[in-house]
Amino acid sequence: MLFPADVLDSEIRKLRGLLQMLHEDQPDVMEDVFEFHVTSLITHAAAEHHRRIRSAAETMLEEIRSRPVLQNPDAPEILLMPSAA
């Protein structure tokens, strides 16, 4: 099923929100999540939208990366393997 342009724009905005959260909390997985979602969007879009999706997503990623990471002193420290730390 191919998404119409308005749905693609909505999905790109959702990706922005997700990347912003990851930038703050889990920057190490941001690239993988980005590639997964952009590839998924491209897969569900007509060929004439592929370049626009990729360009908009890459611009958005660079903008988010350029922002400083704000530390949250109230965030819990979660150690999945404390003995390996």
Side-chain angles (χ1 to χ4, degrees):
M1 178 177 113
L2 298 180
F3 292 146
D6 61 326
V7 173
L8 289 172
D9 290 339
S10 173
E11 293 299 316
I12 290 172
R13 284 192 300 276
K14 289 178 191 174
L15 177 58
R16 173 184 292 280
L18 177 59
L19 292 176
Q20 288 172 342
M21 287 188 302
L22 290 174
H23 179 65
E24 298 291 331
D25 298 328
Q26 295 178 307
D28 56 321
V29 299
M30 194 166 71
E31 291 286 329
D32 292 335
V33 170
F34 172 82
E35 283 302 323
F36 174 81
H37 283 281
V38 171
T39 300
S40 179
L41 285 174
I42 288 173
T43 302
H44 292 91
E48 63 265 16
H49 296 294
H50 292 184
R51 184 176 301 239
R52 182 178 68 86
I53 293 167
R54 175 66 65 180
S55 175
E58 287 175 354
T59 299
M60 176 182 53
L61 180 63
E62 288 306 315
E63 182 226 327
I64 292 169
R65 275 192 196 139
S66 70
R67 296 178 184 174
V69 174
L70 303 174
Q71 299 298 320
N72 180 357
D74 298 326
E77 183 177 353
I78 299 171
L79 300 174
L80 298 179
M81 296 177 62
S83 62

